[in-house]
């Protein structure tokens, strides 16, 4: 008997044994099916990227890292941020981390995209539930890439807040460090002569990423010269000046960042010669209805910028959710967006001393759109600018860090139905006891709530927001008067996606039966 015959006999015997076992242990089909049940479990790994904060020698930057306490995470894990290399316009290494507080960056990579030496950790979290802060000065502050795992992964939040005393973009600039992804929309950028806008591309991985940048103005796509096939080196931040991509000078531009290979963290730094500056975060993914929360009550000018990425025009109802309900901005009841063209409308001093949120809904057929607002506070030479993108709901839980004892306001809106919200203030970065408050947000309203403050607070603290009932959107504003300038920055509170649904699975050998 040859080897092939023996193999066939052995295979048949094995199949018979498996089939017999499956028949004996096949489940009772009359029993209820529980395999579709999913459990919400904490995520095990989170990645974040922080762009280079400033090129100003006058910049003072604070980084704050925080993970809320999450049940079911175990006792192990860590969260670290490390410096990345910053690329100059010609692609050479322009800046890396310095010895000392920021560690030492890896330097130029080799042909395989590997750094010569891993950068020293700049910020390493010590325990969940307590924020950790680190200050750096001047223009040498690098971009950061970070990873959290185990008990530090669910809800890991990092913020960089920069004070710039003078020059283009002076004021308070705040950015929540972002998770790497492959697609970003930024309505609200500009290529105008009085604006200096950079899109920062931070690559956290060991291999290069290839990125395309598209610009859209009031008449559609702008012709760009070098926006396609941008290579972002491993573990680096590549700031791209938007005005170098096109010759057109426009006040309102939508930036689309799409990644061909790899992944990046992306954000836009918008600096104005007279109106200060801030970071413009990405809008929520294109959707038919959008909410832009937390417009400060003392805003002196509000500009809505929106874009319809598809092939269909969009018609939107514009509503302002105030403390007493939704109202229609006079003369701006609706907004018509032509497909592929950026639309903008100046709402002026629409707030009139009350906090509010913009709610955009379709007038008829739902067409996906993206949107953001530019907010100006102050008057004359004391004006300052911030940007608020449309954002995801708070969902199960959202966190915002670098809150101060004075100058922090929390705004919550329930655009479509009443909601219950619990807000927890963490311990302070240098001491303090956590505190909690609960609020009811009426349907269609925006409430500027008195957020809890840790007792005995020293340093800064985190605010964690949990909601139930109707959909809730939130934003936090930090204000800090600087030599007569109304310096401020606004960050939204999207769901931290700290848990993931894991379907329950049972062994079922009946799949082996014919």
């Amino acid at each position: 008997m040859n080897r092939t015959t023996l193999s066939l006999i052995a295979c048949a015997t094995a199949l018979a044994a498996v089939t017999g076992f499956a028949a004996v242990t096949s489940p009772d089909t009359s029993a209820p099916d529980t395999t579709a049940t999913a459990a919400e479990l904490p995520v095990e790994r989170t990645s974040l990227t922080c762009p280079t904060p400033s090129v100003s020698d006058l910049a003072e930057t604070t980084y704050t890292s925080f993970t809320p306490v999450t049940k079911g995470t175990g006792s192990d894990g860590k969260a670290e941020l490390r410096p990345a290399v910053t690329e100059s316009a010609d692609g050479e290494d322009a800046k890396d981390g310095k010895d000392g507080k920021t560690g030492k960056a890896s330097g130029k990579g080799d042909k395989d995209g590997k750094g010569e030496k891993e950068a020293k950790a700049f910020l390493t979290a010590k325990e969940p539930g307590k924020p950790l802060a680190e200050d750096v000065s001047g223009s040498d502050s690098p971009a950061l890439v970070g990873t959290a795992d185990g008990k530090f992964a669910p809800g890991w939040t990092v913020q960089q807040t920069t004070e710039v005393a003078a020059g283009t973009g002076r004021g308070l600039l705040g950015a929540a460090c972002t998770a790497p992804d492959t697609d970003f929309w930024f309505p609200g950028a500009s290529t105008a002569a009085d604006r200096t806008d950079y899109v920062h591309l931070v690559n956290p991985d060991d291999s290069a990423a290839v990125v395309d940048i598209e610009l859209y103005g009031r008449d559609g796509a702008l012709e760009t010269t070098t926006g396609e096939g941008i290579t972002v080196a491993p573990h680096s931040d590549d700031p791209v000046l938007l005005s170098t991509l096109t010759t057109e000078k426009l006040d309102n531009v939508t930036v689309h960042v799409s990644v061909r290979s790899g992944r990046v963290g992306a954000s836009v730094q918008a600096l104005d010669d007279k109106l200060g500056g801030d970071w413009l975060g990405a809008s929520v993914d294109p959707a038919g209805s959008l909410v832009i929360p937390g417009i400060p009550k003392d805003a002196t000018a509000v500009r809505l910028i929106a874009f319809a990425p598809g092939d269909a025009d969009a018609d939107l109802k514009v509503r302002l959710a105030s403390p007493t309900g939704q109202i229609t901005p006079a003369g701006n009841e609706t907004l018509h967006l032509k497909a592929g063209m950026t639309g903008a409308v100046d709402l002026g001093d629409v707030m009139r001393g009350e906090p509010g949120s913009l709610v955009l809904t379709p007038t008829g057929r739902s067409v996906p759109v993206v949107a953001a607002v530019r907010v100006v506070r102050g008057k004359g030479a004391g004006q300052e600018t911030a940007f608020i993108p449309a954002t995801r709901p708070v969902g199960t839980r959202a966190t915002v860090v670098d809150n101060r004892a004075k100058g922090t306001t929390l705004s919550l809106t329930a655009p479509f139905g009443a909601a219950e919200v619990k807000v927890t203030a963490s311990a302070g970065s240098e001491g303090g006891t956590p505190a909690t408050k609960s609020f009811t947000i009426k349907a269609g309203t925006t409430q500027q709530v008195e957020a809890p403050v840790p007792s005995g607070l020293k340093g800064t603290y985190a605010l964690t927001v949990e909601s139930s009932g109707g959909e809730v959107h939130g934003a936090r504003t930090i204000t800090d008067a600087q030599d007569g300038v109304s310096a401020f920055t606004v960050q939204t509170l999207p769901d931290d996606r700290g848990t993931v649904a894991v379907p329950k699975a049972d062994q079922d050998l009946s799949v082996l039966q014919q």
Side-chain angles (χ1 to χ4, degrees):
M1 186 177 293
N2 60 33
R3 187 172 299 173
T4 302
T5 304
L6 287 171
S7 299
L8 289 173
I9 293 174
C11 181
T13 303
L15 284 173
V18 170
T19 303
F21 180 77
V24 171
T25 60
S26 60
D28 181 4
T29 57
S30 64
D33 182 13
T34 61
T35 58
T37 304
E40 289 288 334
L41 299 179
V43 299
E44 297 179 352
R45 186 179 176 88
T46 300
S47 297
L48 292 176
T49 64
C50 310
T52 304
S54 179
V55 295
S56 172
D57 291 334
L58 303 176
E60 300 287 339
T61 300
T62 298
Y63 293 95
T64 309
S65 170
F66 176 78
T67 296
V69 176
T70 304
K71 294 181 179 179
T73 57
S75 58
D76 297 329
K78 65 179 180 179
E80 290 184 338
L81 289 162
R82 297 178 182 273
V85 176
T86 300
E87 299 290 324
S88 64
D90 58 8
E92 294 296 324
D93 294 340
K95 178 170 55 181
D96 60 18
K98 304 298 181 184
D99 289 332
K101 285 188 177 180
T102 58
K104 188 175 182 180
S106 58
K108 295 183 180 180
D110 57 25
K111 291 181 180 180
D112 296 326
K114 304 288 185 179
E116 294 175 0
K117 184 179 180 181
E118 188 177 31
K120 180 182 176 182
F122 164 68
L123 197 62
T124 302
K126 296 180 180 179
E127 58 180 303
K130 182 178 180 180
L132 180 66
E134 188 72 54
D135 298 331
V136 293
S137 299
S139 60
D140 290 334
S141 307
L144 300 175
V145 296
T147 302
D149 57 24
K151 65 181 180 180
F152 290 97
W156 186 40
T157 303
V158 179
Q159 161 120 355
Q160 62 180 46
T161 307
T162 303
E163 295 184 15
V164 179
T168 297
R170 56 94 180 100
L172 196 63
L173 295 82
C177 298
T178 60
D181 207 338
T182 58
D183 197 68
F184 304 86
W185 292 96
F186 300 96
S190 176
T191 59
D194 56 357
R195 282 273 289 271
T196 305
D197 286 17
Y198 292 88
V199 57
H200 283 252
L201 308 171
V202 184
N203 179 4
D205 297 325
D206 294 332
S207 58
V210 180
V211 179
D212 293 333
I213 299 177
E214 300 168 312
L215 307 180
Y216 297 89
R218 59 177 177 266
D219 297 320
L222 304 182
E223 184 177 349
T224 58
T225 53
T226 58
E228 294 185 358
I230 298 172
T231 299
V232 185
H235 304 287
S236 72
D237 175 20
D238 189 0
V240 179
L241 181 59
L242 294 185
S243 60
T244 64
L245 302 181
T246 180
T247 58
E248 297 194 48
K249 304 296 182 183
L250 297 175
D251 287 330
N252 305 301
V253 172
T254 298
V255 179
H256 181 212
V257 174
S258 58
V259 183
R260 296 188 195 181
S261 63
R263 57 180 190 157
V264 299
S267 50
V268 171
Q269 189 178 44
L271 309 176
D272 193 283
D273 290 344
K274 297 180 180 179
L275 300 179
D278 207 348
W279 289 94
L280 168 60
S283 171
V284 68
D285 291 340
S289 298
L290 299 175
V291 178
I292 304 173
I295 303 174
K297 63 182 180 181
D298 58 352
T300 54
V302 177
R303 175 181 294 175
L304 169 64
I305 308 98
F307 179 78
D311 297 327
D313 293 358
D315 288 287
L316 301 170
K317 295 179 182 177
V318 180
R319 298 292 183 270
L320 180 67
S322 73
T324 56
Q326 293 193 11
I327 60 176
T328 301
N332 294 292
E333 295 83 0
T334 60
L335 175 63
H336 177 72
L337 296 175
K338 294 184 178 180
M341 301 180 187
T342 298
V345 56
D346 284 317
L347 302 177
D349 60 346
V350 66
M351 309 314 296
R352 300 188 182 279
E354 292 185 332
S357 306
L358 283 181
V359 181
L360 308 179
T361 56
T363 60
R365 184 171 61 128
S366 179
V367 175
V369 296
V370 293
V373 297
R374 189 193 75 170
V375 179
V376 177
R377 293 176 65 243
K379 297 180 179 180
Q383 294 181 94
E384 228 267 85
T385 301
F387 296 87
I388 311 174
T391 186
R392 299 193 307 272
V394 166
T396 302
R397 184 183 65 187
T399 299
V400 64
V401 296
D402 197 17
N403 302 287
R404 293 95 185 271
K406 295 181 179 181
T408 295
T409 58
L410 179 64
S411 179
L412 302 171
T413 184
F416 308 117
E420 300 296 323
V421 178
K422 182 175 79 170
V423 182
T424 301
S426 74
S429 57
E430 300 174 17
T433 304
T436 300
K437 286 185 178 181
S438 295
F439 305 92
T440 298
I441 311 300
K442 295 181 180 179
T445 70
T446 294
Q447 304 297 327
Q448 183 174 299
V449 302
E450 185 178 349
V453 177
S455 60
L457 172 65
K458 294 182 180 179
T460 63
Y461 63 100
L463 284 172
T464 299
V465 179
E466 300 169 90
S467 69
S468 60
E471 186 177 293
V472 175
H473 296 253
R476 185 278 316 273
T477 301
I478 302 174
T479 57
D480 183 13
Q482 300 176 358
D483 296 329
V485 175
S486 301
F488 75 116
T489 183
V490 182
Q491 283 74 51
T492 58
L493 284 88
D495 187 290
D496 65 18
R497 295 177 174 173
T499 59
V500 62
V502 179
K504 180 181 178 181
D506 292 327
Q507 179 176 295
D508 184 4
L509 294 178
S510 65
V511 297
L512 299 176
Q513 292 180 326
Q514 298 293 329

